[in-house]
């Protein structure tokens, strides 16, 4: 079977079957927003949603993470218990899944393998959920994605109203599909309906700019006077970085007490002045202009030069959550027409 369907009346039983195999992480409601969290009950999963407030990046790259503990006497170090539990992450949107595909090579370079990220990443089968109703702040088609993009996924589900169309993407996804309960072979009507919905969603997201053209324009814009105007609105709060599914800067801190301690990794941001402050007191990015420029240049120029793709997936979280309504689409578009 290449393509299947799961009726929504059976989705609870399917999730319960997955929970019998391993940990299931899915979008769940917390107060008035949604976050990705391990399920304690299949009823908690919320698959009828636009997108989560925070990206599921934190499932693999937590906001804080103990790397090891130590005792000064004897110079002893101890590894923390491994937290990578085999299982599934269900309902991830194509933009967030694409972000994982961008992060994978960053944490798995030729000479640098981040076992903390990689063990968690390899332990989870990724089941994505196509977007039928993109939000007004979405712009994935401007950054190389689309509402049915399968990058970073093992399996894609598509909401067809009373059922989900199920497509395996990887061999891992095909193995899972063969084991899923309550799955039936998709009919021609299901496939036609899925194609129609996919085209409809795509038509709602005309590209705002060309990522390739912007990358080229930014190469000669480092000293452009427009940065002075752009940064003046920014508060430097780094909300954009913390909700971003591709931002991956971190700090390392040692916490000591009575001869014992632990080394902790924490999310950090290039929008903070301390991020680049040297021990000498010199700071190569002393004010907001340099820091805002760094964020835009890194995402749309430096990352593309080094990795072949821009480090933005168009999820729109930075636009929705910015306290002063900065819009990355407007900033990038301003340089695309220069």
């Amino acid at each position: 079977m290449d393509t299947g369907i799961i009726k929504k009346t059976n989705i609870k039983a399917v999730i319960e079957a997955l929970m019998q195999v391993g940990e299931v992480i899915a979008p769940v409601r917390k107060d008035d927003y949604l976050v990705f969290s391990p399920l304690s009950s299949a009823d908690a999963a919320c698959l009828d949603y636009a997108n989560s407030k925070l990206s599921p990046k934190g499932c693999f790259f937590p906001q804080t993470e103990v790397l090891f503990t130590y005792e000064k006497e004897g110079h002893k170090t101890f590894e923390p218990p491994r937290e990578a539990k085999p299982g599934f992450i269900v309902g991830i949107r194509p933009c967030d899944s694409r972000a994982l595909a961008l992060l994978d090579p960053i944490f798995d370079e030729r000479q640098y393998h981040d076992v903390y990220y990689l063990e968690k990443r390899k332990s989870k089968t990724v089941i994505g959920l196509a977007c039928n109703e993109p939000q007004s702040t979405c712009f994935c088609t401007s950054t190389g994605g689309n509402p049915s993009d399968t990058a970073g996924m093992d399996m894609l589900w598509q909401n067809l109203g009373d059922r989900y169309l199920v497509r395996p993407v990887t061999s891992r996804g095909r193995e899972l599909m063969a084991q899923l309960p309550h799955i039936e072979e998709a009919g021609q009507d299901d496939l036609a309906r899925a194609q129609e919905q996919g085209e409809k969603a795509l038509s709602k997201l005309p590209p705002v700019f060309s990522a390739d053209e912007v990358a080229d324009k930014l190469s000669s814009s480092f000293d452009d006077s427009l940065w002075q105007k752009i940064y003046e609105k920014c508060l430097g709060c780094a909300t954009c970085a913390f909700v971003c599914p591709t931002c991956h800067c971190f700090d390392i801190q040692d916490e000591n007490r009575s001869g014992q301690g632990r080394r902790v990794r924490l999310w950090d941001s290039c929008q903070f002045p301390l991020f680049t402050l040297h021990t000498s007191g010199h700071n190569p990015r002393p004010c907001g202009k340099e820091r805002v420029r760094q964020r835009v240049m890194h995402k749309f120029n430096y990352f593309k030069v080094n990795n072949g793709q821009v480090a933005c997936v168009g999820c729109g979280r930075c636009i929705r959550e910015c306290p002063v309504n900065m819009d990355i689409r407007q900033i990038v578009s301003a340089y695309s027409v220069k």
Side-chain angles (χ1 to χ4, degrees):
M1 189 191 310
D2 294 329
T3 312
I5 61 163
I6 299 174
K7 293 177 181 173
K8 286 191 175 178
T9 51
N10 292 322
I11 200 66
K12 179 182 176 182
V14 170
I15 292 176
E16 287 176 339
L18 294 176
M19 293 174 71
Q20 293 294 317
V21 178
E23 181 182 60
V24 177
I25 297 174
V28 300
R29 192 162 296 283
K30 180 181 180 182
D31 300 326
D32 59 346
Y33 56 88
L34 289 154
V35 295
F36 277 81
S37 180
L39 295 180
S40 56
S41 162
D43 289 326
C46 181
L47 299 181
D48 184 15
Y49 80 117
N51 211 344
S52 55
K53 191 177 186 72
L54 291 175
S55 84
K57 168 186 74 177
C59 300
F60 308 102
F61 173 46
Q63 191 165 3
T64 61
E65 184 170 27
V66 177
L67 303 181
F68 60 84
T69 58
Y70 57 84
E71 294 178 359
K72 285 187 176 181
E73 186 175 349
H75 303 284
K76 299 176 182 176
T77 61
F78 308 94
E79 290 191 7
R82 296 297 187 197
E83 297 180 354
K85 300 175 183 175
F88 311 87
I89 180 165
V90 179
I92 185 172
R93 291 298 187 189
C95 53
D96 289 333
S97 178
R98 184 178 181 80
L100 293 178
L102 289 171
L103 290 177
D104 287 346
I106 302 302
F107 287 98
D108 193 18
E109 293 183 342
R110 183 179 301 175
Q111 295 181 324
Y112 173 67
H113 306 284
D114 191 312
V115 295
Y116 302 94
Y117 172 91
L118 294 175
E119 286 188 1
K120 296 184 189 70
R121 184 77 170 92
K122 292 174 181 175
S123 72
K124 293 291 186 294
T125 299
V126 178
I127 301 174
L129 186 60
C131 288
N132 287 344
E133 297 292 339
Q135 296 177 282
S136 61
T137 48
C138 294
F139 59 105
C140 62
T141 54
S142 301
T143 59
N146 66 73
S148 300
D149 192 2
T150 58
M153 293 181 191
D154 296 300
M155 177 180 282
L156 176 68
W157 292 1
Q158 186 174 357
N159 186 353
L160 299 184
D162 63 343
R163 61 192 63 194
Y164 291 102
L165 187 81
V166 179
R167 297 179 191 270
V169 178
T170 64
S171 57
R172 202 178 193 182
R174 282 186 285 277
E175 290 174 10
L176 174 61
M177 187 163 168
Q179 299 167 9
L180 282 177
H182 305 291
I183 190 164
E184 305 169 28
E185 188 163 3
Q188 289 302 315
D189 289 348
D190 297 315
L191 297 176
R193 195 170 168 188
Q195 182 174 351
E196 181 183 352
Q197 287 196 350
E199 291 173 352
K200 186 178 178 182
L202 192 60
S203 69
K204 297 177 181 177
L205 287 171
V208 182
F209 53 80
S210 164
D212 288 337
E213 292 180 6
V214 168
D216 291 339
K217 295 284 183 66
L218 286 172
S219 293
S220 57
S221 301
F222 188 83
D223 293 319
D224 194 279
S225 59
L226 187 57
W227 296 116
Q228 182 68 30
K229 182 178 180 182
I230 291 172
Y231 102 92
E232 288 176 345
K233 189 176 180 181
C234 180
L235 301 177
C237 65
T239 295
C240 51
F242 287 120
V243 299
C244 177
T246 67
C247 279
H248 52 275
C249 290
F250 59 82
D251 189 19
I252 299 287
Q253 294 187 6
D254 283 353
E255 299 175 344
N256 304 286
R257 188 171 187 179
S258 303
Q260 297 181 329
R262 61 180 190 172
R263 181 159 294 178
V264 184
R265 174 162 69 180
L266 311 96
W267 289 358
D268 203 347
S269 171
C270 59
Q271 299 306 286
F272 293 141
L274 290 180
F275 185 76
T276 48
L277 181 63
H278 296 183
T279 306
S280 64
H282 170 66
N283 194 335
R285 297 178 202 144
C287 80
K289 186 186 82 171
E290 289 83 7
R291 296 193 283 273
V292 169
R293 179 179 63 192
Q294 166 63 22
R295 177 173 170 77
V296 177
M297 292 290 284
H298 180 255
K299 287 196 170 297
F300 292 94
N301 181 270
Y302 305 152
F303 197 91
K304 188 172 189 304
V305 170
N306 293 325
N307 300 283
Q309 302 178 71
V310 296
C312 174
V313 293
C315 70
R317 286 187 179 89
C318 60
I319 302 170
R320 291 193 296 276
E321 304 300 333
C322 178
V324 293
N325 299 320
M326 289 188 74
D327 190 329
I328 190 70
R329 296 171 298 185
Q330 295 175 358
I331 296 172
V332 173
S333 295
Y335 280 100
S336 70
V337 298
K338 269 188 168 285

